[in-house]
Amino acid sequence: MKKGLSSVNIVALTFGFAFLYLPIVLLVIYSFNDSQLVTVWGGFSTRWYVALLHNEQLLEAAWVTVRLGLISATLATVLGTLAAVTLTRMTRFPGRTLFSGMVYAPLVMPEVITGLSLLLLFVAIGLDRGFLTLLLAHVTFSMCFVAVVVQSRLITFDKSLEEAAMDLGCPPFKTFLVVTLPIILPAIVSGWMLAFTLSIDDLVISQFTTGPSATTLPMRIYSSVRLGVKPEINAVCTIMIAIVTIGVIAASVATKRAESERVKAERAAAAGR
Amino acid sequence: MALKPAQKALGPIRRSFAPWLDPAAVPLIRFENVVKRFGDFTAVDDVSIDIHAREFFALLGPSGCGKTTLMRMLAGFEEPTSGRITLAGQDLVGVPPYRRPVNMMFQSYALFPHMSVEQNVAFGLKQDKLPKAEIEARVKEMLRLVKLEPFASRKPHQLSGGQRQRVALARSLAKRPKVLLLDEPLGALDKKLREETQFELMDLQMELGLTFLIVTHDQEEAMTVADRIAVMNHGKLVQVATPGEIYEQPSCRYVAGFIGDINLFEAEVAASAGGLVTLKSDEVGATFSAAGEASPGASVALAVRPEKVRISIDPPPADATNVLKGEVWDIAYLGDWTVFLVKAENSEKIVRVSRANVMRSETQPIAWDDKVHVWFAPDAGVLLTS
């Protein structure tokens, strides 16, 4: 086999990466642009980051987004986990097929429709649009993602572990808390992270369901871009990219470390030490 | 495995242990006409078994015969469709698994992966809310019993298969249950370790004075460990007896064929007198005489174990009975035994003969295609009517 990369491979890689990351790199570079104009380079500066700190509107929007993400992801995780447990454990109850279909409907439903129908609902029951309606909407669409992740873990879960716990005198609910939950915790955590990401990222459904009292960061960014891109937006986006990158790297390092420790332990056990 | 003096002392107890023969003995566990259906499928079909205290009882059968379902009903994971299960006089039907005084060792071991060996063993004791010091003492005792003290703080994935099996055993014994249920406990171990563990299980059961109920599809395992064996097939109980009886006195063709190897000669009863039956077998074109009684005209099977059939190239002694001539079809040399497959003259019947290799070498070894005589005594075979 030939060593190294052929010229075709190099070209393909270059174009691939450029396509994926060039826009992001440009955005990061221009966030340090001294010029007022987004597309003209006027020297290096961090003035937009400083300006950010004084932009109350953006800070307020960021705070709403984070709060919304944390609360909605947590609620969605609780509900999604319960749905997953019900669907995997109770194989027969009236309306199971309907329930299973309904849980996954938001996965394939166009966001515009979800958003519009939620808006109609809130109007119909006379709920004032604001943080609460935003929260309800986010829980609604992110809960099904949690259910999918947790359910796929529960399907491979060895049921005899729960039976063993009950056999040793542990009642069913406590068994769920001390045996099932700790074992499926990684899936629940990744479900939560998925829900959180979806929540801070959402624009369409938020637009439909919010009121003047609560504006999220994506909404703020979107509306300010319509009035012309300010370098401040680049700075906000750069910070968001940095947070996401750090999160992804930390998660993959943690997974790799856990994996290598597991392999080492298994080798030691096989060698009989 | 080296025999310890303490184990020697258990010999007389084992020898005289047979509470099932005592009509006054009260069984510890009673299955009474237990039926379990899953939809249209009948997993357990009208089974009644009595199991006595301190007995090592085996449920034996092929996979899907209902043995595991029967055990799971005793553990409380399944409820019988009809019938009663009692333990020490108490009706168990409707009692949830976490309130039953039985513990189970699972086929997959079902060790909690997020807990250490120590925490696994302590789990059941914690559910009983025992004082901390007592839990610690009992866990130590259990780990000593299964020789796992140095591994107390390890997680299950850091153990070998044999060690995991021991943790599972220690965990299920920690609560000192009235009955220990073992679901294919040694299935995942290699042959040598399995044999060792079988003897250890027997000694443990004796030392602790517990009642063990084991489910297995491995007849050798059941024969080794159990005081009595219940053979099951298609959800029905076929025979309950000691290993010796099961082997030498099988109740029907199914049991005879399931346990060990056997030659079955289909025949018709020609005459029966003085405890001796004359059989005419069209299958091999021969007449047999067998000990027993049967009504003339009935079709029966004469079951003869391979080791009870003699084989030689020279003609058998003049007083030999049930002689068949044949040709050596195949030979399997197993070291301690040699198995000969002999094709009977003028028929398609293959007779299985096994012979212990008592001598290191033979002057006239039997080889492929040799013309041989095979014969067996009238009391070597068992008459089977069903």
Side-chain angles (χ1 to χ4, degrees), chain B residues 338-374:
Chain B
T338 303
V339 177
F340 300 95
L341 299 185
V342 178
K343 189 174 160 299
E345 205 176 53
N346 306 324
S347 81
E348 292 300 308
K349 183 78 180 172
I350 301 283
V351 182
R352 201 182 173 97
V353 185
S354 59
R355 198 180 61 177
N357 296 322
V358 207
M359 310 286 258
R360 291 186 61 205
S361 61
E362 290 175 74
T363 45
Q364 194 194 5
I366 298 170
W368 275 266
D369 296 342
D370 278 351
K371 303 269 182 231
V372 291
H373 298 84
V374 295

Side-chain angles (χ1 to χ4, degrees), chain B residues 306-325:
Chain B
E307 74 278 4
K308 295 180 177 67
V309 183
R310 311 278 304 272
I311 184 168
S312 82
I313 292 174
D314 299 327
D319 61 347
T321 53
N322 303 326
V323 183
L324 290 173
K325 277 189 199 170

Side-chain angles (χ1 to χ4, degrees), chain A residues 29-44 48 231 234:
Chain A
I29 292 172
Y30 276 104
S31 73
F32 296 103
N33 189 359
D34 196 29
S35 164
Q36 272 282 2
L37 297 161
V38 175
T39 48
V40 179
W41 182 253
F44 180 84
W48 301 115
N234 286 356

Side-chain angles (χ1 to χ4, degrees), chain B residues 204-232:
Chain B
L204 210 60
Q205 188 252 348
M206 268 294 181
E207 271 175 50
L208 301 174
L210 296 177
T211 309
F212 278 27
L213 176 62
I214 187 173
V215 157
T216 180
H217 66 275
D218 180 347
Q219 39 139 325
E220 239 176 89
E221 184 166 295
M223 306 270 282
T224 307
V225 298
D227 293 310
R228 279 195 305 160
I229 298 172
V231 182
M232 289 183 72

Side-chain angles (χ1 to χ4, degrees), chain B residues 76-248:
Chain B
F77 300 129
E78 313 282 355
E79 287 293 338
T81 311
S82 69
R84 247 159 59 101
I85 302 172
T86 59
L87 177 73
Q90 184 205 353
D91 194 343
L92 283 183
V93 173
V95 179
Y98 49 92
R99 292 218 189 89
R100 295 192 182 199
V102 298
N103 283 138
M104 181 155 165
M105 193 187 139
F106 289 79
Q107 185 174 11
S108 63
Y109 306 149
L111 299 177
F112 306 129
H114 56 300
M115 297 184 195
S116 68
V117 168
E118 232 168 359
Q119 289 167 324
N120 263 285
V121 177
F123 187 87
L125 302 169
K126 277 194 192 142
Q127 307 312 316
D128 283 356
K129 308 220 162 50
L130 291 179
K132 219 174 162 202
E134 195 180 338
I135 292 181
E136 267 173 39
R138 280 241 222 141
V139 169
K140 250 197 186 137
E141 181 196 330
M142 283 301 140
L143 291 180
R144 192 170 54 239
L145 199 66
V146 297
K147 305 183 194 84
L148 276 178
E149 286 157 302
F151 303 97
S153 55
R154 290 232 184 143
K155 289 274 177 70
H157 69 264
Q158 296 169 307
L159 301 174
S160 69
Q163 290 164 342
R164 279 182 220 179
Q165 188 265 342
R166 283 155 187 279
V167 178
L169 184 63
R171 187 179 69 180
S172 53
L173 280 173
K175 288 185 78 171
R176 295 183 190 151
K178 278 189 187 152
V179 182
L180 180 69
L181 310 177
L182 303 130
D183 183 11
E184 305 267 4
L186 313 175
L189 304 183
D190 60 62
K191 195 172 187 305
K192 204 147 195 157
L193 194 56
R194 195 160 61 216
E195 275 170 19
E196 263 179 47
T197 316
Q198 283 167 5
F199 284 110
E200 283 174 9
L201 272 183
M202 289 162 72
D203 294 334
L204 210 60
Q205 188 252 348
M206 268 294 181
E207 271 175 50
L208 301 174
L210 296 177
T211 309
F212 278 27
L213 176 62
I214 187 173
V215 157
T216 180
H217 66 275
D218 180 347
Q219 39 139 325
E220 239 176 89
E221 184 166 295
M223 306 270 282
T224 307
V225 298
D227 293 310
R228 279 195 305 160
I229 298 172
V231 182
M232 289 183 72
N233 191 28
H234 295 309
K236 284 201 165 69
L237 198 62
V238 188
Q239 186 175 9
V240 183
T242 63
E245 283 164 4
I246 293 257
Y247 188 77
E248 302 292 359

